[in-house]
Structures are given as C-alpha cells and as structure tokens.
Amino acid sequence: MKMGVGKYDELFNRIKERAKLVDEKLFELIPEKEPKVLYEAARHYPLAGGKRIRPFVVLTATEAVGGNALKAIYPAVAIELIHNYSLVHDDIMDMDETRRGKPTVHKVWGINMAILAGDLLFSKAFEAISRAEISPEKKAKVLETIVKASNELCEGQALDLEFENREMVSIEEYMRMISGKTGALFDASAKVGGIVGTENEEYIEALSRWGRNVGMAFQIWDDVLDLIADEEKLGKPVGSDIRKGKKTLIVAHFFENADEKAKEKFLKVFGKYAGDVKGKGIIEEDVKAEVMEAIELLKEHGSIDYASRIARELVEKANEALNVLPESRARKDLELLASFMVEREY
Amino acid sequence: MKMGVGKYDELFNRIKERAKLVDEKLFELIPEKEPKVLYEAARHYPLAGGKRIRPFVVLTATEAVGGNALKAIYPAVAIELIHNYSLVHDDIMDMDETRRGKPTVHKVWGINMAILAGDLLFSKAFEAISRAEISPEKKAKVLETIVKASNELCEGQALDLEFENREMVSIEEYMRMISGKTGALFDASAKVGGIVGTENEEYIEALSRWGRNVGMAFQIWDDVLDLIADEEKLGKPVGSDIRKGKKTLIVAHFFENADEKAKEKFLKVFGKYAGDVKGKGIIEEDVKAEVMEAIELLKEHGSIDYASRIARELVEKANEALNVLPESRARKDLELLASFMVEREY
C-alpha cells in the first residue's frame, strides 16, 4: 500500500507522523543489543518498512472516543510487534523469499533463527503491554484483548495451512480463516484503542466491529488485486495466487458456482505453477496465457465481482458501526482508511 | 526425573497432587477443539508427561510467603505453557526426535504445525495470566516478570544456537547461556509465586534468587548425568552430549584447563557422532570406547568434579537465600527440591 492519492493525502500524512512516534518506542523494545544476531533478525522487518497501519488504528481509535493517543503508544507497539512476529513465522511456513522488498528473515538467518526472532517479537509485544502507562485495570483489559487476537491468529493460520491439503474450501470456511488471520488483529487494534480512551462499552464494541470488518475487507481486496491489478504497480505477476493454488474468496465462489467442465478447466492451471517456472522446461509466456484464461473463467462466473462486492460491503458495515461515536477528525480518518482499503490499486 | 526415593517421598507426593490441580486449568486453556490439528499438536507435550516442577515451584513459593496457593494456579499454568512452548520450538531447532518418550511435535505434525503449536502455547500462557484471579496490580507484576523470563529464554536459546558454530565457549559464556535458557524461568516461577502471595519485596527477591540458582544447578547437573549416569536409568547412551558436541560447563572447564595435546585428543571424538551411527559404516562399540576415553580425559582434568561442585554450590546459594523467609513446610519443600536437583541419578 503506497501513499499519496489526492483525497487520502492528509490521512497518509497523519499515518506517517504517527509511525514516527510508534517507531521510537518500537525500537526501544528491540534495540541493537546482544545476542546480536537475534536482535538483528528481529529488527529486520520493522526496519525494512511497513506503514504501521495497525498502530495508527490503535492511536486513532483512542482519539475517536475522546482519549489521549499518547497513552496508547505502547499498546499500539504491542500490536505491531504481534503483526511482525506473525509475518516472520508465516513466511517460514509459506516458504516466502521476499517481504517488503528484502529477503525474508529465514532466507537471511536460517529457519532456526527466524523461529527464535519471531518468538522474541511475540514476547516483546507483551513487554510493550507491560510498559503501557495506563491503569492496571486497563492494562488487564488490553492484555485480554491482545491475547484473544493472538490465539485467533494461530487458529486462522492453522486453517490456512490446512487449506493447502484440500481440493477446495467453501466461502464460509474462507471467511472463518481470514476472520482469524487478518480480522482478529485489526479488531484488537481498534478495540485496544477504545479501551485506552474510554470506559464506554458501546464505543469499544463499535470499534471492535469496525476493525474485524475492515481487516477482512483488506484481505479480500488483496486477493482481488492479485487478479486485476497492474502488474507493475503490484510488483508481482498477475494471478500469482492462481499459480500457487491459493484458496481465496474468489476461488471459493467460483467452485460453489461453476459446472464440472469449467472447474476441470480451471484446475488444470490452479496451483500448477508454484515458484519460478524458469529452468523447468515451461515457457513463461504459455503460463501467462493459461493464467489469463483461468482469470477469464473467474470473471465469467462473476467471482471477482462477487469478492469485490463483499469487500465493499464489509467496509460499509465497518463504517456504519462507527455511527455511534461522536463525529471527529479521528472517526473520519478511520472511515477514510476503511474506504482506502477497497479502493487502492496496489 | 522420576519420583520415589526415600527422603523425597513426601515432596514427590505433593508435586503429584499439585500437578493434578495445575493440569485441570492447563487443559482448560488447550482443550480438544477446532482447528483440531493445531490443538492436538499443542496438547502433545503436556499430555505426554512432565512433572509440572515449575508450577509446583510457583504454588509452593506462594505458600512459603504465607499466601494462598489457589490464587497462583493460573500464573503457574502460564509458566508451564511457556516451558512447553520453548520445548516445542527448541526441539525443531535441535532436530530432536523424541521427548518424554514420544516423537517430538515436528516429527508427528511437521515443522510448520510445530512452529504454530509452539506459538499457540506461548499465546495461551498470556491468556493464563489474563485469567488469574488476582488484583490488576499483581497481574501487571506477574506479566512483567513472565515477559522478562520469556525474553531471556529467547536470548539464552540464541546463545546456545550460536555456540554450535563455535569451536569452544568459556565458562563465563556457558553460565550466561544457562542463566537465560534454564535459570530465567525457574527464577520467574519462584518470583511469581512470591508476587501472588505477598507484598514483601525482600521475600520476593529471595525467591527470585533461589529460582535462578536452582534452575542453573538443574541444567549443570543434567550435563553431569549425561557423563556419569547409569545408561539404563538415563534412557540414552552415556556421553550422548559428547557425541553431539554439546558445549557444557564440563567441556568449557576442560578447555580452559587442558594442554594442547589433551584438547586435540578430545576433539577427535567431540561432536563426531551426532545422530544414529547405524548404517554409516561405524561400529557402535568403537564409538562407545572412544567416548569413554573422552570422558576419562574430562575426569582426569577434574572437569566433571568441577561442574558437580558448581551445581552443589548453586543449590547451597539458592537455599541460603530462603533464610529470610519464615520456616514452613513450603519453604522446606523448596529446599528439598533444590537438593534433589543435584542428588538425582537420572
């Protein structure tokens, strides 16, 4: 997600400003220290980039309920650390080789150190909660909320791993998986911000609902972009998910709606070109043509439109939830961020 | 560590009783539920056994400062979950194939699911803290203590991984490594028990010191047993650490005290027989003879005696720290447990 597109300019500027505040405390928790290799590996993704969207949600949610965002910095850092730990471990499991334009942690330091670096980031997330300058009562609630999300994260990832061994997954199964894998941490981000800023349970509940829906929309839109985005903007070949056989909402919809013949045709391409085709006696141009045909099948069955609509509906639902909150710049920013999730082109 | 050796009988009975209480809450946190594979993998080590020594320390420490052990159950469960998470991940890194008489998690479910099961156990540890029925102030202190230990656990494991690429390590480096890898969690166990049971900082500090020293003694004695124990009682070949090239306190002492000739002789065996020798054109009897010679070298240089003495001194230091506590059955149990650590024969 890159920044700077007209109506979102101010939002992006605020995200950047907040990211600076967050990074100060983030790197205080993972400084350059001994054992050097461990801390280097743990700092790799946070140093490589990332927009700190989840911390922004935490801080902005605090403001949206009338609280002081500065009180929410450490909880925001905790969420970002959880996010980064899960990236490190997921990249091992998915055998991904690059992330944020850099080689993945396990590619640089090996699997053992990557497991350990992820563990350290996870542990540091709870240290961040521990450091939060909020009442012990609020700290306990923040802990409870983040723990619930990190449990769900594991459960969502387990479903995703399980999907790999399956011929197909249903729409319902897919939605459950991303609810855990992407929805839970956005939910926790907004909710934690609410907890820090208010005692009003209705506000906190609204933020939680906003986050869950936005997180899921974010993931679905990611899957849509893989099929429709400009290859150059996206930085990877169109249809890379089809090559890898990734079970997305689009594919789940297709399988619930296509006839046997169409399914058969699709399965000839789906998951057949994982990794680099070079040196395997396969011609990239032929693969591309086959992938484009598969995408055509998805389009014909309305599967891409379906997923796009679901993503947009989730964002609407998310923003509707915020109606109980008083109007404010912070609430507006959350609404804008949600819209951006399903309007971005890369 | 098996139970039932005369003077320790009553202690062992109490450990068993407490283990039942602990397991009730432990399995409440990791029940049989969906995603089935994830929870099965996470339950594997807790179900396979383990004496729940660390939880026993937590509960007994609470009583030793005059508190109610029942209040400390969830913190005790948290410590046991951290212990189990670290076993799952360490076993992947060490490529160990069995644990508690069963195949390791990654051997049964593969590395990906093992990473995830470890992550879930880690996450559940913090859920256990979250559930503790203690004041929010105490909960915050328990969190801080456990987080510190889990950071140290990662740091200790990173040092241990780093040792694998080193020709040798110094006594000082070894002590730093086990302080993190084994000392930190025993320290946290006793300290957390203290926090739950009292406001007296002197008591809490004493328990913390007791735990750190006991944990380190435990590890050193484990390394000694690998060289001197009865093969049948130990359940693995004598000198398996020498075959694997594990850098223990004994080996560190040897290298700081042996001349070049002795070192050279030792290095011909050290680390040369990792894994099973079967089918590698090596005769087990020859290996055994070589390993026995290497052990003889360590004996001649007083390295085994040195490590045994250090372990016993650590236990003395540990128990001395408890002198500030009022006398009680609980304090006596902690003292007995510490002594057992360096008297056990397997």
Side-chain angles (χ1 to χ4, degrees):
Chain A
M1 188 175 355
K2 277 188 190 159
M3 306 293 171
V5 201
K7 78 190 232 206
Y8 296 116
D9 280 356
E10 279 186 40
L11 171 68
F12 294 159
N13 281 334
R14 277 194 285 276
I15 292 176
K16 272 188 211 160
E17 272 168 33
R18 290 303 169 83
K20 277 184 217 153
L21 278 176
V22 166
D23 279 7
E24 212 176 280
K25 303 292 181 191
L26 176 63
F27 288 107
E28 191 185 286
L29 277 153
I30 41 169
E32 293 184 72
K33 64 167 272 201
E34 294 292 333
K36 211 167 158 253
V37 184
L38 174 64
Y39 279 86
E40 265 176 21
R43 289 160 59 90
H44 185 59
Y45 286 172
L47 280 174
K51 295 293 177 284
R52 316 292 188 246
I53 293 295
R54 292 165 190 79
F56 177 78
V57 168
V58 178
L59 303 179
T60 309
T62 300
E63 290 183 319
V65 296
N68 174 358
L70 289 177
K71 295 263 175 205
I73 293 266
Y74 277 115
V77 167
I79 299 262
E80 184 66 17
L81 285 164
I82 299 259
H83 175 54
N84 278 274
Y85 124 76
S86 80
L87 293 179
V88 175
H89 282 186
D90 286 4
D91 284 346
I92 302 172
M93 299 179 212
D94 300 341
M95 294 188 283
D96 279 328
E97 305 201 345
T98 57
R99 157 87 52 195
R100 294 174 181 169
K102 298 262 165 72
T104 47
V105 175
H106 62 97
K107 274 280 144 190
V108 181
W109 287 277
I111 288 181
N112 285 353
M113 193 51 75
I115 294 175
L116 207 51
D119 291 346
L120 183 70
L121 291 165
F122 201 4
S123 185
K124 291 285 177 176
F126 293 99
E127 185 176 347
I129 298 173
S130 180
R131 287 194 189 189
E133 287 152 356
I134 51 181
S135 71
E137 287 77 15
K138 293 208 175 200
K139 198 176 282 190
K141 277 188 196 167
V142 167
L143 174 65
E144 193 186 340
T145 305
I146 291 182
V147 153
K148 186 171 169 286
S150 77
N151 286 342
E152 279 192 77
L153 223 52
C154 291
E155 292 168 1
Q157 175 67 2
L159 289 178
D160 205 13
L161 287 182
E162 197 229 316
F163 286 179
E164 286 173 16
N165 310 318
R166 299 261 296 276
E167 170 97 323
M168 199 33 59
V169 302
S170 69
I171 289 178
E172 199 196 322
E173 287 170 323
Y174 173 84
M175 295 301 270
R176 198 182 315 137
M177 186 275 285
I178 62 163
S179 175
K181 203 171 160 172
T182 325
L185 202 57
F186 271 93
D187 177 336
S189 302
K191 186 171 180 178
V192 159
I195 290 168
V196 172
T198 184
E199 306 284 334
N200 185 325
E201 289 295 332
E202 199 193 2
Y203 287 1
I204 295 170
E205 196 36 56
L207 286 164
S208 164
R209 219 164 332 128
W210 178 87
R212 180 72 54 159
N213 288 314
V214 166
M216 291 173 73
F218 177 67
Q219 183 58 57
I220 294 169
W221 192 249
D222 238 35
D223 296 341
V224 169
L225 282 178
D226 185 76
L227 301 172
I228 64 161
D230 186 294
E231 209 160 300
E232 295 222 343
K233 282 189 189 170
L234 202 63
K236 55 181 180 178
V238 167
S240 71
D241 288 348
I242 290 183
R243 293 170 187 234
K244 285 188 274 185
K246 192 176 162 194
K247 276 102 181 171
T248 63
L249 180 59
I250 301 130
V251 173
H253 175 273
F254 172 76
F255 264 76
E256 292 192 2
N257 291 282
D259 60 21
E260 286 311 311
K261 217 182 124 201
K263 281 187 210 172
E264 214 174 279
K265 200 173 157 198
F266 183 77
L267 281 174
K268 276 192 188 139
V269 187
F270 189 59
K272 295 293 183 288
Y273 303 105
D276 204 335
V277 297
K278 268 180 235 148
K280 290 182 187 166
I282 308 168
I283 296 152
E284 168 63 23
E285 287 312 306
D286 291 353
V287 174
K288 192 167 266 175
E290 283 188 35
V291 170
M292 292 316 289
E293 268 184 64
I295 293 177
E296 215 38 59
L297 273 172
L298 297 174
K299 275 189 190 154
E300 279 168 23
H301 287 79
S303 303
I304 299 179
D305 285 343
Y306 168 78
S308 309
R309 199 183 70 235
I310 295 290
R312 280 192 302 269
E313 281 174 10
L314 284 166
V315 163
E316 266 174 51
K317 231 168 103 180
N319 285 344
E320 265 170 39
L322 296 188
N323 285 338
V324 300
L325 300 183
E327 290 201 39
S328 67
R329 196 222 68 218
R331 178 182 140 185
K332 191 78 210 144
D333 271 356
L334 292 178
E335 289 164 359
L336 265 175
L337 180 63
S339 306
F340 177 72
M341 290 292 183
V342 294
E343 284 183 24
R344 67 200 160 95
E345 291 174 3
Y346 40 83
Chain B
M1 186 173 355
K2 279 189 184 155
M3 307 291 172
V5 203
K7 78 190 235 206
Y8 296 115
D9 278 357
E10 281 187 39
L11 171 67
F12 294 159
N13 282 333
R14 278 194 285 276
I15 293 176
K16 274 189 210 161
E17 274 169 33
R18 292 301 169 82
K20 278 185 217 150
L21 280 175
V22 166
D23 279 6
E24 213 176 279
K25 303 294 181 190
L26 175 63
F27 289 107
E28 192 185 287
L29 277 152
I30 42 170
E32 292 183 74
K33 64 168 270 199
E34 295 291 333
K36 212 167 158 252
V37 185
L38 173 64
Y39 278 86
E40 265 176 20
R43 288 161 59 89
H44 185 58
Y45 287 171
L47 280 174
K51 296 292 176 289
R52 316 293 188 244
I53 293 294
R54 291 165 190 78
F56 177 78
V57 168
V58 178
L59 304 179
T60 309
T62 301
E63 291 182 317
V65 296
N68 175 358
L70 289 177
K71 296 264 174 204
I73 293 267
Y74 276 116
V77 167
I79 298 262
E80 184 65 16
L81 285 163
I82 298 258
H83 175 54
N84 278 274
Y85 123 75
S86 80
L87 293 179
V88 176
H89 282 186
D90 286 4
D91 284 346
I92 302 172
M93 299 179 212
D94 300 341
M95 292 188 285
D96 279 328
E97 304 201 346
T98 59
R99 156 88 52 196
R100 295 174 180 168
K102 299 260 166 71
T104 46
V105 175
H106 63 98
K107 273 282 142 188
V108 181
W109 288 277
I111 287 180
N112 285 354
M113 193 49 77
I115 294 174
L116 208 51
D119 291 347
L120 183 70
L121 290 166
F122 201 4
S123 184
K124 291 285 178 176
F126 293 100
E127 184 176 347
I129 299 173
S130 180
R131 289 194 188 188
E133 287 153 355
I134 50 180
S135 69
E137 287 77 15
K138 292 207 176 201
K139 200 177 279 188
K141 277 189 194 168
V142 167
L143 174 65
E144 192 185 340
T145 304
I146 291 182
V147 152
K148 186 170 168 285
S150 77
N151 286 342
E152 280 192 75
L153 224 53
C154 292
E155 292 168 1
Q157 175 67 3
L159 289 178
D160 205 12
L161 287 182
E162 197 228 316
F163 286 0
E164 286 173 16
N165 310 317
R166 299 262 296 275
E167 169 97 321
M168 199 33 59
V169 303
S170 69
I171 289 177
E172 199 197 321
E173 286 170 323
Y174 173 84
M175 295 302 272
R176 199 182 313 138
M177 186 274 284
I178 63 163
S179 176
K181 201 170 162 172
T182 324
L185 202 58
F186 271 93
D187 177 338
S189 302
K191 187 172 180 177
V192 159
I195 290 167
V196 171
T198 185
E199 305 285 334
N200 184 325
E201 288 295 334
E202 198 193 2
Y203 288 1
I204 295 169
E205 196 36 56
L207 286 164
S208 163
R209 218 161 335 127
W210 178 87
R212 179 72 53 158
N213 287 314
V214 166
M216 292 173 74
F218 178 67
Q219 184 58 56
I220 294 169
W221 191 250
D222 238 33
D223 296 342
V224 168
L225 282 178
D226 185 78
L227 301 172
I228 65 162
D230 186 295
E231 209 160 299
E232 297 222 341
K233 284 188 189 171
L234 202 63
K236 57 180 179 178
V238 168
S240 72
D241 288 349
I242 290 183
R243 292 171 188 233
K244 287 189 272 184
K246 191 175 162 197
K247 275 103 181 173
T248 63
L249 181 58
I250 301 129
V251 173
H253 174 274
F254 173 75
F255 264 75
E256 291 194 2
N257 291 280
D259 60 21
E260 285 311 311
K261 218 181 121 199
K263 282 188 211 173
E264 214 174 279
K265 200 173 157 197
F266 183 78
L267 281 174
K268 277 191 187 138
V269 187
F270 190 59
K272 295 293 181 289
Y273 303 106
D276 204 334
V277 297
K278 267 179 234 148
K280 289 183 188 163
I282 307 168
I283 297 152
E284 167 62 22
E285 287 311 306
D286 292 352
V287 174
K288 193 167 266 174
E290 282 187 35
V291 170
M292 292 316 288
E293 266 183 68
I295 294 178
E296 214 40 58
L297 273 173
L298 297 174
K299 276 190 189 154
E300 279 167 23
H301 287 80
S303 302
I304 301 180
D305 285 343
Y306 168 80
S308 310
R309 199 183 70 235
I310 295 291
R312 282 193 300 269
E313 281 175 10
L314 285 165
V315 163
E316 266 175 52
K317 231 168 105 181
N319 285 345
E320 266 171 37
L322 296 188
N323 286 338
V324 300
L325 300 183
E327 289 200 38
S328 68
R329 197 221 66 217
R331 178 181 141 185
K332 191 76 210 145
D333 271 356
L334 292 178
E335 288 164 359
L336 266 174
L337 180 64
S339 305
F340 177 72
M341 292 289 185
V342 294
E343 284 182 24
R344 66 200 161 95
E345 291 175 3
Y346 39 83

